[in-house]
């Protein structure tokens, strides 16, 4: 726990997954109640860690009058329901995230079925379908599904103490992801939109819209105009190199595109085939795609698909369907398999 700037505290909470060590929640101190941005997973460890750090700050739970979540992934939203009830706080998040709560966390059968069809159409072999389709089910226990008291659309001001944050919709990582921008203090609470070393997951799935990577790069680009001295991200450490990081993430995606083009060559391939052929972060540690867990494998496939659809939207790729399976290829090049 650190006071990252006078009046804002970073409260890191543990995560029950191996690849990410912490989620950062931020407490903004105000004279008429405090604001908590993001909440951590719904686990005992996470809840106890939050309680302990609030006590160290001398803040009672009841002093937290508002909770804002940047998006409804389990690490940012999991504890929201419990904390809201316990503290008597109001909860706010973007309206597009609200639309997903029911299908994602309450009656998810339809979503899972749709995802299964999606994976099938994108080349996942039948014997792998069930394990990849159901890979996210264990995550459900880390969320208490709760509806917001206030639904955000973008442009609202969230004031607390000396701070007035503007709600900035930043679709891509999720369709209703928001960042909070404090123009006078030049601070951006970036959620999972901009992280200092990790590139956030952007994948295509039934709730993502048709071109989430296009949305992501557009919303990343639109933030460039902001004057930001300090970025407070949802994971890793706060950082100052705001514009450089935007450039770095943009470049990373260009390099991924080049890798996909090289892997395609003159062939037509499915998203699944390409996912198994391109490199993944884990390869740096000597772990190939086939050694990833099912959850990571599914994210990798959906991420490759997001690249393919973004490239297709820019006219860099074409696709065709055969026997209900989608194949991608470079335009004007011979298509061996068509
Ligand atoms: Zn997330
Ligand atoms: Zn996250």
């Amino acid at each position: 726990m650190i006071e990252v700037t006078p009046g804002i505290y970073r409260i890191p909470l543990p995560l029950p997954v191996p690849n990410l060590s912490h989620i950062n929640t931020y407490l903004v101190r105000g004279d008429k109640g405090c604001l908590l941005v993001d909440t951590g997973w719904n686990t005992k460890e996470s809840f106890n860690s939050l309680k302990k750090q609030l006590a160290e700050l001398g803040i009672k739970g009841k002093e937290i009058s508002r909770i804002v979540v940047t998006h409804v992934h389990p690490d940012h939203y999991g504890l929201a329901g419990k904390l809201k009830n316990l503290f008597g706080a109001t909860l706010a998040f973007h309206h597009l995230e609200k639309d997903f709560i029911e299908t994602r966390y309450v009656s998810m059968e339809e979503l899972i079925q749709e995802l299964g069809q999606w994976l099938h159409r994108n080349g996942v072999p039948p014997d792998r379908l069930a394990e990849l389709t159901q890979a996210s089910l264990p995550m459900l226990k880390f969320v208490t599904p709760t509806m917001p008291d206030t639904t955000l659309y973008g442009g609202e001001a969230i004031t607390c103490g000396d701070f007035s944050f503007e709600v900035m919709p930043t679709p891509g990582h999720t369709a209703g992801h928001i960042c909070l921008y404090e123009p006078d203090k030049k601070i951006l609470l970036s959620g999972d939109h901009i992280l200092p070393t990790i590139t956030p997951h952007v994948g295509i799935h039934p709730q993502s819209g048709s071109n989430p990577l296009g949305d992501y790069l557009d919303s990343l680009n639109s933030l460039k105009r902001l004057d930001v001295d300090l970025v407070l991200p949802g994971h890793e450490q706060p950082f100052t190199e705001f514009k450089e990081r935007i450039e770095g993430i943009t470049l990373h995606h260009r390099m991924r595109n080049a890798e996909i083009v090289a892997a395609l060559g003159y062939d037509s391939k499915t998203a699944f085939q390409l996912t198994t052929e391109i490199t993944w972060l884990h390869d740096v540690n000597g772990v190939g795609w086939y050694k990833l867990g099912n959850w990571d494998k599914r994210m990798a496939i959906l991420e490759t698909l997001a690249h393919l659809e973004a490239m297709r939207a820019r006219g860099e790729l074409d696709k065709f369907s055969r026997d209900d399976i989608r194949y991608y290829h470079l335009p004007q090049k011979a298509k061996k398999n068509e």
Side-chain angles (χ1 to χ4, degrees):
M1 177 196 56
I2 299 168
E3 189 168 23
V4 284
T5 190
I8 303 185
Y9 302 84
R10 168 178 169 254
I11 303 179
L13 299 176
L15 295 180
V17 284
N19 298 340
L20 287 169
S21 64
H22 286 92
I23 152 93
N24 296 321
T25 67
Y26 293 95
L27 182 100
V28 184
R29 209 189 263 270
D31 29 15
K32 294 184 199 112
C34 299
L35 165 70
L36 188 70
V37 180
D38 288 338
T39 68
W41 297 67
N42 185 21
T43 64
K44 223 186 252 164
E45 295 75 27
S46 184
F47 178 68
N48 288 339
S49 174
L50 177 66
K51 247 183 18 184
K52 184 168 165 270
Q53 295 186 71
L54 287 176
E56 281 165 15
L57 276 175
I59 289 183
K60 294 186 185 70
K62 298 269 180 221
E63 288 175 62
I64 296 174
S65 53
R66 271 172 305 165
I67 300 167
V68 174
V69 300
T70 54
H71 62 300
V72 300
H73 280 164
D75 48 340
H76 299 256
Y77 164 73
L79 265 177
K82 184 171 179 167
L83 298 183
K84 171 179 147 64
N85 292 335
L86 200 67
F87 298 162
T90 59
L91 174 64
F93 51 85
H94 194 270
H95 73 98
L96 286 177
E97 300 291 285
K98 178 183 167 187
D99 295 345
F100 302 148
I101 300 296
E102 182 73 22
T103 46
R104 190 178 189 128
Y105 295 124
V106 185
S107 42
M108 66 294 284
E109 296 78 13
E110 207 175 306
L111 184 69
I112 288 171
Q113 207 185 0
E114 214 178 322
L115 187 67
Q117 285 170 357
W118 210 301
L119 291 171
H120 161 71
R121 286 193 193 119
N122 285 290
V124 173
D127 60 331
R128 310 293 307 280
L129 260 184
E131 62 196 35
L132 294 182
T133 305
Q134 288 164 19
S136 59
L137 291 180
M139 301 291 159
L140 294 173
K141 65 175 180 288
F142 299 123
V143 174
T144 310
T146 311
M147 287 299 177
D149 303 287
T150 310
T151 312
L152 303 170
Y153 289 82
E156 296 90 343
I158 296 179
T159 54
C160 182
D162 291 341
F163 300 90
S164 181
F165 296 97
E166 186 189 334
V167 174
M168 318 215 66
T170 41
H173 177 65
T174 66
H177 188 288
I178 56 164
C179 292
L180 297 179
Y181 176 51
E182 219 302 346
D184 291 337
K185 310 266 189 313
K186 301 181 182 175
I187 292 170
L188 184 76
L189 278 87
S190 62
D192 280 355
H193 190 57
I194 306 178
L195 302 170
T197 71
I198 311 167
T199 46
H201 169 71
V202 178
I204 289 199
H205 54 84
Q207 295 181 332
S208 68
S210 60
N211 184 8
L213 186 57
D215 296 340
Y216 176 76
L217 292 171
D218 286 348
S219 62
L220 193 64
N221 198 38
S222 73
L223 293 188
K224 269 192 200 160
R225 66 181 171 81
L226 302 182
D227 197 0
V228 175
D229 287 343
L230 179 65
V231 185
L232 303 178
H235 301 274
E236 307 185 290
Q237 302 292 325
F239 63 100
T240 52
E241 301 81 11
F242 171 64
K243 295 216 165 105
E244 290 84 341
R245 188 59 194 137
I246 291 181
E247 295 302 334
I249 295 173
T250 309
L251 180 68
H252 162 85
H253 286 293
R254 270 196 220 121
M255 286 162 64
R256 292 301 268 171
N257 292 350
E259 212 179 332
I260 286 172
V261 167
L264 268 175
Y266 289 90
D267 287 344
S268 303
K269 294 183 178 178
T270 66
F272 176 76
Q273 273 178 294
L274 285 164
T275 307
T276 62
E277 292 172 12
I278 59 179
T279 58
W280 295 96
L281 175 70
H282 309 76
D283 290 344
V284 174
N285 304 323
V287 181
W289 188 83
Y290 284 100
K291 288 185 184 165
L292 295 180
N294 285 331
W295 167 251
D296 284 330
K297 276 193 177 121
R298 188 174 91 184
M299 289 217 288
I301 297 165
L302 299 179
E303 212 168 293
T304 305
L305 193 55
H307 271 279
L308 293 169
E309 284 300 320
M311 292 167 82
R312 199 170 73 88
R314 290 195 302 266
E316 296 165 16
L317 290 182
D318 287 333
K319 108 175 144 174
F320 67 91
S321 197
R322 189 176 56 212
D323 300 330
D324 201 27
I325 309 290
R326 316 276 195 263
Y327 296 86
Y328 292 83
H329 60 89
L330 296 171
Q332 290 135 16
K333 289 204 172 177
K335 286 160 264 165
K336 210 162 68 177
N337 300 329
E338 195 173 4

